[in-house]
Coordinates of all heavy atoms in Angstrom, one line a residue:
M27 N -2.1 21.7 -7.5 CA -1.1 21.6 -6.4 C -0.5 20.2 -6.5 O -1.2 19.2 -6.6 CB -1.7 21.9 -5.1 CG -0.8 21.7 -3.9 SD -1.1 22.9 -2.6 CE -0.4 22.1 -1.3
P28 N 0.9 20.0 -6.4 CA 1.4 18.7 -6.6 C 1.2 17.8 -5.4 O 1.1 18.3 -4.2 CB 2.9 18.9 -6.7 CG 3.1 20.3 -6.2 CD 1.9 21.0 -6.3
S29 N 1.0 16.5 -5.6 CA 0.7 15.6 -4.5 C 2.1 15.2 -3.9 O 3.1 15.4 -4.5 CB 0.0 14.4 -5.0 OG 0.9 13.6 -5.7
R30 N 2.1 14.6 -2.7 CA 3.3 14.2 -2.0 C 4.0 13.1 -2.9 O 5.2 13.0 -2.9 CB 3.0 13.6 -0.7 CG 2.9 14.6 0.5 CD 2.6 13.9 1.8 NE 3.6 13.0 2.1 CZ 4.7 13.3 2.9 NH1 4.9 14.5 3.3 NH2 5.6 12.4 3.2
Q31 N 3.2 12.3 -3.6 CA 3.8 11.2 -4.4 C 4.7 11.8 -5.5 O 5.6 11.2 -5.9 CB 2.7 10.4 -5.0 CG 2.2 9.3 -4.0 CD 1.0 8.6 -4.5 OE1 0.2 9.1 -5.3 NE2 0.8 7.4 -4.0
Q32 N 4.3 12.9 -6.1 CA 5.1 13.5 -7.2 C 6.4 14.2 -6.7 O 7.4 14.1 -7.3 CB 4.3 14.6 -7.9 CG 3.3 14.0 -8.9 CD 2.4 15.1 -9.4 OE1 2.2 16.1 -8.8 NE2 2.0 14.9 -10.7
A33 N 6.4 14.7 -5.4 CA 7.5 15.5 -4.9 C 8.8 14.6 -4.8 O 9.8 15.1 -5.2 CB 7.2 16.1 -3.6
T34 N 8.7 13.4 -4.4 CA 9.9 12.6 -4.1 C 10.7 12.3 -5.4 O 11.9 12.6 -5.4 CB 9.5 11.3 -3.3 OG1 8.8 11.7 -2.1 CG2 10.7 10.5 -3.0
P35 N 10.1 11.8 -6.4 CA 10.9 11.5 -7.6 C 11.6 12.7 -8.2 O 12.7 12.7 -8.7 CB 9.9 10.9 -8.6 CG 8.7 10.6 -7.8 CD 8.7 11.4 -6.6
I36 N 10.9 13.9 -8.2 CA 11.5 15.1 -8.7 C 12.7 15.5 -7.9 O 13.8 15.8 -8.5 CB 10.4 16.3 -8.7 CG1 9.4 16.0 -9.8 CG2 11.1 17.6 -9.0 CD1 8.2 16.9 -9.7
L37 N 12.7 15.5 -6.6 CA 13.8 15.8 -5.8 C 15.0 14.9 -6.1 O 16.1 15.3 -6.2 CB 13.5 15.8 -4.3 CG 12.7 17.0 -3.8 CD1 12.3 16.8 -2.3 CD2 13.5 18.3 -3.9
E38 N 14.7 13.6 -6.2 CA 15.8 12.6 -6.5 C 16.5 12.9 -7.8 O 17.7 12.7 -7.9 CB 15.3 11.2 -6.4 CG 15.1 10.8 -4.9 CD 14.5 9.4 -4.7 OE1 14.2 8.8 -5.8 OE2 14.3 9.0 -3.6
K39 N 15.7 13.3 -8.8 CA 16.2 13.5 -10.1 C 17.2 14.7 -10.0 O 18.3 14.7 -10.6 CB 15.1 13.9 -11.1 CG 15.5 13.8 -12.5 CD 14.3 13.9 -13.4 CE 14.8 14.0 -14.9 NZ 13.8 14.5 -15.8
Q40 N 16.8 15.8 -9.3 CA 17.7 16.9 -9.1 C 19.0 16.5 -8.4 O 20.1 16.9 -8.8 CB 17.1 18.0 -8.3 CG 16.1 18.8 -9.1 CD 15.4 19.9 -8.3 OE1 15.4 19.8 -7.1 NE2 14.7 20.8 -8.9
R41 N 18.9 15.7 -7.4 CA 20.1 15.3 -6.6 C 21.1 14.5 -7.5 O 22.3 14.7 -7.5 CB 19.7 14.5 -5.4 CG 20.8 14.5 -4.4 CD 20.4 13.7 -3.1 NE 19.1 14.0 -2.6 CZ 18.2 13.0 -2.4 NH1 18.5 11.7 -2.6 NH2 17.0 13.3 -1.9
A42 N 20.6 13.6 -8.4 CA 21.4 12.8 -9.2 C 22.1 13.6 -10.3 O 23.2 13.3 -10.7 CB 20.5 11.7 -9.9
K43 N 21.5 14.8 -10.7 CA 22.1 15.6 -11.7 C 23.2 16.6 -11.2 O 24.0 17.1 -11.9 CB 21.1 16.4 -12.4 CG 20.5 15.8 -13.6 CD 19.8 16.8 -14.6 CE 18.8 17.6 -13.9 NZ 17.9 18.3 -14.8
A44 N 23.2 16.8 -9.9 CA 24.1 17.9 -9.3 C 25.5 17.5 -9.5 O 26.0 16.4 -9.2 CB 23.8 18.0 -7.8
K45 N 26.3 18.5 -10.1 CA 27.7 18.2 -10.4 C 28.6 18.7 -9.2 O 28.2 19.7 -8.6 CB 28.1 19.0 -11.6 CG 27.8 18.3 -12.9 CD 28.5 19.0 -14.1 CE 27.5 20.0 -14.8 NZ 28.2 20.9 -15.6
P46 N 29.7 18.1 -9.0 CA 30.6 18.6 -7.9 C 31.1 20.0 -8.4 O 31.2 20.2 -9.6 CB 31.7 17.6 -7.8 CG 31.7 16.9 -9.1 CD 30.3 16.9 -9.6
P47 N 31.4 20.9 -7.4 CA 31.8 22.2 -7.8 C 33.2 22.2 -8.6 O 34.0 21.3 -8.3 CB 32.1 23.0 -6.5 CG 32.1 21.9 -5.5 CD 31.4 20.7 -6.0
A48 N 33.3 23.1 -9.6 CA 34.5 23.1 -10.5 C 35.7 23.5 -9.6 O 35.6 24.2 -8.7 CB 34.3 24.0 -11.6
L49 N 36.9 22.9 -10.0 CA 38.1 23.3 -9.3 C 39.0 24.0 -10.3 O 38.9 23.7 -11.5 CB 38.8 22.0 -8.8 CG 38.1 21.4 -7.6 CD1 38.8 20.1 -7.2 CD2 38.0 22.3 -6.4
F50 N 39.8 24.9 -9.8 CA 40.7 25.7 -10.7 C 42.2 25.6 -10.2 O 42.5 25.7 -9.0 CB 40.2 27.2 -10.6 CG 38.9 27.4 -11.3 CD1 37.7 27.0 -10.6 CD2 38.9 27.9 -12.6 CE1 36.5 27.2 -11.3 CE2 37.6 28.0 -13.2 CZ 36.5 27.6 -12.6
N51 N 43.1 25.4 -11.2 CA 44.5 25.4 -10.9 C 44.9 26.9 -10.9 O 44.6 27.7 -11.8 CB 45.3 24.7 -12.0 CG 45.0 23.3 -12.1 OD1 44.6 22.6 -11.1 ND2 45.2 22.7 -13.2
V52 N 45.8 27.2 -9.9 CA 46.4 28.5 -9.9 C 47.8 28.3 -10.5 O 48.6 27.4 -10.0 CB 46.6 29.1 -8.5 CG1 47.4 30.4 -8.5 CG2 45.2 29.4 -7.9
V53 N 48.1 29.0 -11.6 CA 49.3 28.7 -12.4 C 50.2 30.0 -12.4 O 49.8 31.1 -12.6 CB 48.9 28.5 -13.9 CG1 50.1 28.2 -14.8 CG2 47.9 27.3 -13.9
L54 N 51.5 29.7 -12.1 CA 52.5 30.8 -12.1 C 53.2 30.7 -13.5 O 53.4 29.6 -14.0 CB 53.6 30.6 -11.1 CG 53.5 31.2 -9.7 CD1 54.8 31.0 -9.0 CD2 53.1 32.6 -9.8
L55 N 53.5 31.9 -14.1 CA 54.1 32.0 -15.4 C 55.6 32.4 -15.2 O 55.8 33.3 -14.4 CB 53.3 32.9 -16.3 CG 51.9 32.7 -16.4 CD1 51.2 33.7 -17.4 CD2 51.6 31.2 -17.0
N56 N 56.5 31.9 -16.0 CA 57.9 32.3 -16.0 C 58.0 33.7 -16.6 O 57.3 34.2 -17.4 CB 58.7 31.3 -16.7 CG 60.2 31.6 -16.5 OD1 60.6 32.0 -15.4 ND2 61.0 31.4 -17.5
D57 N 59.1 34.4 -16.1 CA 59.5 35.6 -16.8 C 61.0 35.7 -16.5 O 61.6 34.9 -15.8 CB 58.8 36.9 -16.2 CG 59.1 37.1 -14.8 OD1 60.2 37.6 -14.5 OD2 58.2 36.9 -13.9
D58 N 61.7 36.7 -17.1 CA 63.2 36.8 -17.0 C 63.7 37.6 -15.9 O 64.9 37.7 -15.7 CB 63.8 37.3 -18.3 CG 63.6 36.3 -19.5 OD1 63.4 35.1 -19.2 OD2 63.6 36.8 -20.7
Y59 N 62.8 38.3 -15.1 CA 63.2 39.3 -14.2 C 62.9 39.0 -12.7 O 63.6 39.5 -11.9 CB 62.5 40.6 -14.6 CG 62.8 41.0 -16.0 CD1 61.9 40.8 -17.0 CD2 64.1 41.5 -16.4 CE1 62.2 41.1 -18.3 CE2 64.4 41.8 -17.7 CZ 63.4 41.6 -18.7 OH 63.7 41.9 -20.0
T60 N 61.8 38.3 -12.4 CA 61.5 38.1 -11.0 C 62.5 37.2 -10.4 O 62.8 36.1 -10.9 CB 60.1 37.4 -10.9 OG1 59.1 38.2 -11.6 CG2 59.6 37.3 -9.5
P61 N 63.1 37.6 -9.3 CA 64.1 36.8 -8.6 C 63.5 35.4 -8.2 O 62.4 35.3 -7.7 CB 64.6 37.6 -7.4 CG 64.1 39.0 -7.7 CD 62.9 38.9 -8.5
M62 N 64.4 34.4 -8.3 CA 63.9 33.0 -7.9 C 63.5 33.0 -6.4 O 62.6 32.4 -6.0 CB 65.1 32.0 -8.1 CG 65.4 31.8 -9.6 SD 66.7 30.6 -9.8 CE 66.6 30.3 -11.6
E63 N 64.3 33.7 -5.6 CA 64.0 33.8 -4.1 C 62.6 34.4 -3.9 O 61.9 33.9 -2.9 CB 65.0 34.6 -3.4 CG 66.4 34.0 -3.4 CD 67.1 34.2 -4.8 OE1 66.7 35.1 -5.6 OE2 68.1 33.5 -5.0
F64 N 62.2 35.3 -4.7 CA 60.9 36.0 -4.5 C 59.8 35.0 -4.8 O 58.8 34.9 -4.2 CB 60.8 37.2 -5.4 CG 59.5 38.0 -5.2 CD1 59.4 38.9 -4.1 CD2 58.5 37.9 -6.1 CE1 58.2 39.6 -3.9 CE2 57.3 38.6 -5.9 CZ 57.1 39.4 -4.8
V65 N 60.0 34.2 -5.9 CA 59.0 33.2 -6.3 C 58.8 32.1 -5.2 O 57.7 31.7 -4.9 CB 59.3 32.6 -7.7 CG1 58.3 31.5 -8.1 CG2 59.4 33.7 -8.7
I66 N 60.0 31.7 -4.7 CA 60.0 30.7 -3.6 C 59.2 31.3 -2.4 O 58.4 30.6 -1.8 CB 61.4 30.3 -3.2 CG1 62.0 29.5 -4.3 CG2 61.4 29.5 -1.9 CD1 63.5 29.2 -4.2
L67 N 59.4 32.5 -2.1 CA 58.7 33.2 -0.9 C 57.2 33.2 -1.2 O 56.4 32.8 -0.3 CB 59.2 34.6 -0.8 CG 58.7 35.4 0.4 CD1 59.4 34.9 1.7 CD2 59.0 36.9 0.2
I68 N 56.8 33.5 -2.4 CA 55.4 33.5 -2.7 C 54.8 32.1 -2.6 O 53.7 31.9 -2.0 CB 55.2 34.0 -4.2 CG1 55.3 35.5 -4.2 CG2 53.8 33.5 -4.8 CD1 54.7 36.2 -5.3
L69 N 55.5 31.1 -3.0 CA 55.0 29.7 -3.0 C 54.8 29.3 -1.5 O 53.9 28.5 -1.1 CB 55.9 28.8 -3.8 CG 55.7 29.0 -5.3 CD1 56.9 28.3 -6.0 CD2 54.4 28.4 -5.8
Q70 N 55.7 29.8 -0.7 CA 55.7 29.4 0.8 C 54.5 30.2 1.5 O 53.8 29.6 2.2 CB 57.0 29.7 1.5 CG 58.1 28.8 1.0 CD 59.4 29.2 1.7 OE1 60.0 30.2 1.4 NE2 59.9 28.3 2.6
Q71 N 54.4 31.5 1.2 CA 53.5 32.3 1.9 C 52.1 32.1 1.4 O 51.1 32.1 2.3 CB 53.9 33.8 1.7 CG 55.1 34.1 2.6 CD 55.2 35.7 2.7 OE1 54.4 36.4 2.2 NE2 56.2 36.1 3.5
F72 N 51.8 32.0 0.1 CA 50.5 32.0 -0.4 C 49.9 30.6 -0.6 O 48.7 30.4 -0.8 CB 50.4 32.8 -1.7 CG 50.6 34.3 -1.4 CD1 51.8 34.9 -1.6 CD2 49.6 35.1 -1.0 CE1 52.1 36.2 -1.4 CE2 49.8 36.5 -0.8 CZ 51.0 37.0 -1.0
F73 N 50.9 29.6 -0.8 CA 50.4 28.3 -1.1 C 50.8 27.2 -0.1 O 50.7 26.0 -0.4 CB 50.9 27.9 -2.5 CG 50.4 28.9 -3.6 CD1 51.1 30.0 -4.0 CD2 49.1 28.8 -4.1 CE1 50.6 30.9 -4.9 CE2 48.6 29.7 -5.0 CZ 49.3 30.7 -5.4
A74 N 51.4 27.7 1.0 CA 51.7 26.9 2.1 C 52.7 25.7 1.8 O 52.6 24.6 2.3 CB 50.5 26.3 2.8
L75 N 53.6 26.0 0.8 CA 54.6 24.9 0.4 C 55.8 25.1 1.3 O 56.2 26.2 1.7 CB 55.0 25.1 -1.0 CG 53.9 24.9 -2.1 CD1 54.5 24.9 -3.5 CD2 53.1 23.7 -1.9
N76 N 56.4 24.0 1.7 CA 57.7 24.1 2.4 C 58.8 24.5 1.4 O 58.6 24.5 0.2 CB 58.0 22.8 3.2 CG 58.2 21.6 2.3 OD1 58.6 21.7 1.2 ND2 57.9 20.4 2.8
L77 N 60.0 24.7 2.0 CA 61.1 25.2 1.1 C 61.4 24.3 0.0 O 61.6 24.7 -1.2 CB 62.3 25.5 2.0 CG 63.6 26.0 1.3 CD1 63.3 27.3 0.6 CD2 64.7 26.1 2.3
E78 N 61.4 23.0 0.3 CA 61.8 22.0 -0.8 C 60.7 22.0 -1.9 O 61.1 22.1 -3.1 CB 61.9 20.6 -0.1 CG 62.5 19.6 -1.0 CD 62.4 18.2 -0.4 OE1 62.3 18.1 0.8 OE2 62.5 17.2 -1.2
A79 N 59.5 21.9 -1.5 CA 58.4 21.9 -2.5 C 58.3 23.2 -3.3 O 58.1 23.2 -4.5 CB 57.0 21.6 -1.8
A80 N 58.5 24.3 -2.6 CA 58.5 25.7 -3.2 C 59.6 25.8 -4.2 O 59.4 26.3 -5.4 CB 58.5 26.8 -2.2
T81 N 60.8 25.3 -3.9 CA 61.9 25.3 -4.8 C 61.7 24.5 -6.0 O 62.0 24.9 -7.2 CB 63.2 24.9 -4.1 OG1 63.4 25.7 -2.9 CG2 64.4 25.0 -5.0
R82 N 61.1 23.3 -5.8 CA 60.8 22.4 -6.9 C 59.8 23.1 -7.9 O 60.0 23.0 -9.1 CB 60.2 21.1 -6.4 CG 60.3 19.9 -7.3 CD 59.7 18.6 -6.8 NE 60.0 18.4 -5.4 CZ 59.1 18.2 -4.4 NH1 57.8 18.3 -4.7 NH2 59.5 18.0 -3.2
V83 N 58.7 23.7 -7.4 CA 57.7 24.3 -8.2 C 58.3 25.5 -9.0 O 58.1 25.7 -10.2 CB 56.5 24.7 -7.4 CG1 55.5 25.6 -8.3 CG2 55.7 23.5 -6.9
M84 N 59.1 26.3 -8.3 CA 59.8 27.5 -8.9 C 60.7 27.0 -10.1 O 60.6 27.6 -11.2 CB 60.6 28.2 -7.8 CG 61.2 29.5 -8.4 SD 62.7 29.2 -9.3 CE 63.8 28.6 -8.1
L85 N 61.5 26.0 -9.8 CA 62.4 25.5 -10.9 C 61.6 24.9 -12.1 O 62.0 25.1 -13.2 CB 63.4 24.5 -10.3 CG 64.5 25.1 -9.5 CD1 65.3 24.0 -8.9 CD2 65.4 26.0 -10.3
A86 N 60.5 24.3 -11.8 CA 59.6 23.7 -12.9 C 59.1 24.9 -13.7 O 59.1 24.8 -15.0 CB 58.5 22.9 -12.3
V87 N 58.6 26.0 -13.0 CA 58.1 27.1 -13.8 C 59.3 27.8 -14.6 O 59.1 28.1 -15.8 CB 57.5 28.2 -12.8 CG1 57.1 29.4 -13.6 CG2 56.4 27.6 -12.1
H88 N 60.5 27.9 -14.0 CA 61.6 28.5 -14.6 C 62.0 27.7 -15.9 O 62.4 28.3 -16.9 CB 62.8 28.5 -13.6 CG 64.1 29.0 -14.2 ND1 64.2 30.4 -14.5 CD2 65.3 28.4 -14.4 CE1 65.5 30.5 -15.0 NE2 66.1 29.4 -14.9
T89 N 62.0 26.4 -15.8 CA 62.4 25.6 -17.0 C 61.3 25.3 -18.0 O 61.6 25.1 -19.2 CB 63.1 24.3 -16.5 OG1 62.1 23.6 -15.7 CG2 64.3 24.5 -15.7
E90 N 60.1 25.2 -17.5 CA 59.0 24.7 -18.4 C 58.1 25.9 -18.8 O 57.2 25.7 -19.6 CB 58.2 23.6 -17.7 CG 59.0 22.3 -17.6 CD 58.4 21.4 -16.6 OE1 57.2 21.4 -16.4 OE2 59.2 20.6 -16.0
G91 N 58.2 27.1 -18.2 CA 57.5 28.2 -18.6 C 56.2 28.5 -17.7 O 55.7 29.6 -17.7
R92 N 55.7 27.4 -17.1 CA 54.5 27.6 -16.2 C 54.5 26.4 -15.2 O 55.1 25.4 -15.5 CB 53.3 27.6 -17.1 CG 53.1 26.3 -17.8 CD 52.1 26.4 -19.0 NE 51.1 27.3 -19.0 CZ 49.8 27.1 -18.5 NH1 49.5 25.9 -18.0 NH2 49.0 28.1 -18.5
G93 N 53.7 26.6 -14.2 CA 53.6 25.5 -13.2 C 52.4 25.7 -12.3 O 52.0 26.9 -12.0
V94 N 51.8 24.6 -11.8 CA 50.6 24.7 -11.0 C 51.1 24.9 -9.5 O 51.9 24.1 -9.0 CB 49.7 23.5 -11.1 CG1 48.6 23.5 -10.1 CG2 49.2 23.4 -12.6
C95 N 50.6 25.9 -8.8 CA 50.9 26.1 -7.4 C 49.9 25.4 -6.5 O 50.2 25.1 -5.4 CB 50.8 27.6 -7.1 SG 51.5 28.7 -8.2
G96 N 48.7 25.3 -7.0 CA 47.6 24.6 -6.1 C 46.3 24.6 -6.9 O 46.2 25.3 -7.9
T97 N 45.4 23.9 -6.3 CA 44.0 23.7 -7.0 C 43.0 24.0 -5.9 O 43.0 23.4 -4.8 CB 43.9 22.2 -7.5 OG1 45.0 22.0 -8.4 CG2 42.6 22.0 -8.2
Y98 N 42.0 24.9 -6.3 CA 41.0 25.4 -5.3 C 39.7 25.6 -6.0 O 39.6 25.8 -7.2 CB 41.5 26.7 -4.8 CG 43.0 26.7 -4.3 CD1 44.0 27.1 -5.1 CD2 43.3 26.3 -3.0 CE1 45.3 27.0 -4.6 CE2 44.6 26.2 -2.5 CZ 45.6 26.6 -3.4 OH 46.9 26.5 -2.9
P99 N 38.6 25.8 -5.1 CA 37.4 26.3 -5.7 C 37.5 27.7 -6.3 O 38.5 28.4 -5.9 CB 36.5 26.3 -4.5 CG 37.1 25.4 -3.5 CD 38.6 25.5 -3.7
R100 N 36.6 28.1 -7.2 CA 36.8 29.3 -8.0 C 37.1 30.5 -7.2 O 38.1 31.2 -7.5 CB 35.5 29.6 -8.7 CG 35.5 30.8 -9.6 CD 34.1 31.1 -10.1 NE 33.5 30.1 -10.9 CZ 33.6 29.9 -12.2 NH1 34.4 30.7 -12.9 NH2 33.0 28.9 -12.8
D101 N 36.4 30.8 -6.1 CA 36.6 32.1 -5.4 C 38.0 32.1 -4.7 O 38.6 33.1 -4.6 CB 35.5 32.3 -4.3 CG 34.2 32.6 -5.0 OD1 34.2 32.7 -6.3 OD2 33.2 32.8 -4.3
L102 N 38.4 31.0 -4.1 CA 39.7 30.9 -3.4 C 40.8 31.0 -4.5 O 41.8 31.8 -4.2 CB 39.8 29.6 -2.6 CG 41.0 29.4 -1.7 CD1 41.2 30.6 -0.8 CD2 40.9 28.1 -0.9
A103 N 40.7 30.4 -5.6 CA 41.7 30.5 -6.7 C 41.8 31.9 -7.1 O 42.9 32.5 -7.3 CB 41.4 29.6 -7.8
A104 N 40.7 32.6 -7.4 CA 40.7 34.0 -7.8 C 41.3 34.9 -6.8 O 42.1 35.8 -7.1 CB 39.3 34.4 -8.1
S105 N 41.0 34.7 -5.5 CA 41.6 35.5 -4.5 C 43.1 35.3 -4.4 O 43.9 36.2 -4.2 CB 40.9 35.1 -3.1 OG 41.8 35.4 -2.1
K106 N 43.6 34.1 -4.5 CA 45.1 33.8 -4.5 C 45.7 34.5 -5.7 O 46.8 35.1 -5.5 CB 45.3 32.3 -4.5 CG 45.0 31.7 -3.1 CD 45.5 30.3 -3.0 CE 45.1 29.7 -1.6 NZ 45.9 30.1 -0.5
V107 N 45.2 34.4 -6.9 CA 45.7 35.0 -8.1 C 45.9 36.6 -7.8 O 46.9 37.1 -8.0 CB 44.9 34.8 -9.3 CG1 45.2 35.7 -10.5 CG2 45.0 33.3 -9.7
N108 N 44.8 37.2 -7.3 CA 44.8 38.6 -7.0 C 45.9 39.0 -6.0 O 46.6 40.0 -6.1 CB 43.4 39.1 -6.6 CG 42.5 39.1 -7.8 OD1 42.9 39.2 -8.9 ND2 41.2 39.0 -7.5
R109 N 46.0 38.2 -4.9 CA 46.9 38.5 -3.9 C 48.3 38.4 -4.3 O 49.2 39.2 -4.0 CB 46.6 37.6 -2.6 CG 45.3 38.0 -1.9 CD 45.0 37.0 -0.9 NE 46.0 37.0 0.2 CZ 46.1 35.9 1.0 NH1 45.3 34.9 0.9 NH2 47.1 36.0 1.9
V110 N 48.6 37.3 -5.1 CA 50.0 37.1 -5.7 C 50.4 38.3 -6.6 O 51.4 38.8 -6.5 CB 50.1 35.8 -6.4 CG1 51.3 35.7 -7.3 CG2 50.0 34.6 -5.4
K111 N 49.4 38.6 -7.5 CA 49.7 39.7 -8.5 C 49.9 41.0 -7.7 O 50.8 41.8 -8.1 CB 48.6 39.8 -9.5 CG 48.7 38.7 -10.5 CD 47.4 38.5 -11.3 CE 47.0 39.6 -12.2 NZ 45.9 39.3 -13.0
E112 N 49.1 41.3 -6.7 CA 49.3 42.6 -6.0 C 50.6 42.6 -5.2 O 51.3 43.6 -5.2 CB 48.1 42.7 -5.0 CG 48.1 44.0 -4.1 CD 48.2 45.3 -4.9 OE1 47.9 45.3 -6.1 OE2 48.6 46.3 -4.3
F113 N 51.0 41.5 -4.6 CA 52.2 41.4 -3.8 C 53.4 41.6 -4.8 O 54.4 42.3 -4.5 CB 52.3 40.0 -3.1 CG 53.4 39.8 -2.2 CD1 53.5 40.6 -1.0 CD2 54.5 38.9 -2.4 CE1 54.6 40.4 -0.1 CE2 55.5 38.8 -1.5 CZ 55.6 39.5 -0.4
A114 N 53.4 40.9 -6.0 CA 54.5 41.1 -6.9 C 54.5 42.6 -7.4 O 55.6 43.2 -7.5 CB 54.2 40.2 -8.1
R115 N 53.3 43.2 -7.7 CA 53.3 44.6 -8.1 C 53.9 45.5 -7.1 O 54.7 46.4 -7.4 CB 51.9 44.9 -8.4 CG 51.7 46.2 -9.2 CD 50.2 46.7 -9.2 NE 49.8 47.1 -7.9 CZ 50.1 48.2 -7.3 NH1 50.8 49.1 -7.9 NH2 49.6 48.5 -6.1
Q116 N 53.6 45.3 -5.8 CA 54.1 46.1 -4.7 C 55.6 46.0 -4.7 O 56.3 47.0 -4.3 CB 53.5 45.6 -3.3 CG 52.1 46.1 -3.1 CD 51.5 45.4 -1.9 OE1 52.1 44.6 -1.2 NE2 50.3 45.8 -1.6
H117 N 56.2 44.9 -5.0 CA 57.6 44.7 -5.0 C 58.2 45.0 -6.4 O 59.4 44.7 -6.6 CB 58.0 43.3 -4.5 CG 57.7 43.1 -3.0 ND1 58.6 43.3 -2.0 CD2 56.5 42.9 -2.4 CE1 58.0 43.1 -0.9 NE2 56.8 42.8 -1.1
Q118 N 57.4 45.5 -7.3 CA 57.9 45.9 -8.7 C 58.5 44.7 -9.5 O 59.5 44.9 -10.2 CB 58.8 47.1 -8.6 CG 58.1 48.3 -7.9 CD 59.0 49.5 -7.8 OE1 60.0 49.4 -7.2 NE2 58.5 50.6 -8.3
H119 N 57.9 43.5 -9.3 CA 58.3 42.4 -10.1 C 57.2 42.1 -11.1 O 56.0 42.2 -10.8 CB 58.6 41.1 -9.2 CG 59.7 41.3 -8.3 ND1 60.9 41.8 -8.7 CD2 59.8 41.1 -6.9 CE1 61.7 41.8 -7.6 NE2 61.1 41.5 -6.6
P120 N 57.6 41.6 -12.3 CA 56.6 41.4 -13.4 C 55.9 40.0 -13.3 O 55.2 39.6 -14.3 CB 57.4 41.5 -14.7 CG 58.7 41.0 -14.3 CD 58.9 41.4 -12.8
L121 N 56.0 39.3 -12.2 CA 55.5 38.0 -12.0 C 54.0 37.9 -12.4 O 53.2 38.7 -11.9 CB 55.6 37.5 -10.6 CG 55.2 36.1 -10.3 CD1 56.1 35.1 -11.0 CD2 55.2 35.9 -8.7
Q122 N 53.6 36.9 -13.2 CA 52.2 36.8 -13.6 C 51.7 35.5 -13.1 O 52.4 34.4 -13.0 CB 52.1 36.8 -15.1 CG 52.1 38.3 -15.7 CD 51.1 39.2 -15.0 OE1 49.9 38.9 -15.0 NE2 51.5 40.3 -14.5
C123 N 50.4 35.5 -12.8 CA 49.7 34.3 -12.2 C 48.3 34.3 -12.7 O 47.7 35.4 -12.9 CB 49.7 34.6 -10.7 SG 49.0 33.3 -9.7
V124 N 47.8 33.1 -13.1 CA 46.5 33.0 -13.7 C 45.8 31.8 -13.1 O 46.4 30.9 -12.5 CB 46.6 32.8 -15.3 CG1 47.2 34.0 -15.9 CG2 47.4 31.6 -15.7
M125 N 44.5 31.7 -13.4 CA 43.8 30.5 -12.9 C 43.1 29.8 -14.2 O 42.8 30.5 -15.1 CB 42.7 30.8 -11.9 CG 41.6 31.8 -12.3 SD 40.6 32.3 -10.9 CE 39.3 31.1 -11.0
E126 N 43.1 28.5 -14.1 CA 42.5 27.7 -15.2 C 41.7 26.6 -14.7 O 42.1 26.0 -13.7 CB 43.7 27.1 -16.0 CG 44.6 28.1 -16.7 CD 45.8 27.4 -17.4 OE1 46.0 26.3 -17.2 OE2 46.4 28.1 -18.2
E127 N 40.5 26.4 -15.3 CA 39.7 25.3 -14.8 C 40.4 24.0 -14.9 O 41.1 23.7 -15.9 CB 38.4 25.3 -15.6 CG 37.4 24.3 -14.9 CD 36.0 24.5 -15.4 OE1 35.7 25.4 -16.1 OE2 35.1 23.7 -14.9
N128 N 40.4 23.2 -13.8 CA 41.0 21.9 -13.8 C 40.0 20.9 -14.3 O 39.0 20.6 -13.7 CB 41.3 21.6 -12.3 CG 41.9 20.2 -12.1 OD1 41.4 19.2 -12.7 ND2 42.9 20.1 -11.3
G129 N 40.3 20.4 -15.5 CA 39.3 19.5 -16.2 C 39.1 18.1 -15.6 O 38.2 17.5 -15.9
T130 N 40.0 17.7 -14.7 CA 40.0 16.3 -14.2 C 39.0 16.1 -13.1 O 38.7 17.1 -12.4 CB 41.4 15.8 -13.8 OG1 41.8 16.6 -12.7 CG2 42.4 15.9 -14.9
Ligands
LIG208 N1 63.1 33.0 -14.6 C1 63.3 33.7 -13.3 C2 64.8 34.0 -13.2 O1 65.6 33.5 -13.9 C3 62.8 33.0 -12.1 C4 61.3 32.8 -12.1 C5 60.7 31.6 -11.8 C6 60.4 33.8 -12.5 C7 59.4 31.3 -11.8 C8 59.0 33.6 -12.5 O2 57.2 32.2 -12.0 C9 58.5 32.4 -12.1 N2 65.1 34.9 -12.2

């Protein structure tokens, strides 16, 4: 059975090794068919951007092919991707959304 003296250094070693939880970028992809107004609506509704910020992100995606909507822990990023894709599908737009681990 371990003594009290052994327990403390082992716990401290575990705490020092613990990594912060990974973060994931939610990324919108450009396409030729989804209306710009619909993308702006998504950015406002699902990512809490105001009209100016949503317009800026939409135009960045439109001109550069992709753009980051927000950065979240894994489960929240996955939920946002699924909700955006389902909303676009319901409105019959081909909008695509993916998540990528944020390396920084
Ligand atoms: N390229 C689209 C258009 O010209 C607009 C658009 C922007 C589509 C961003 C998707 O993620 C997107 N109507």
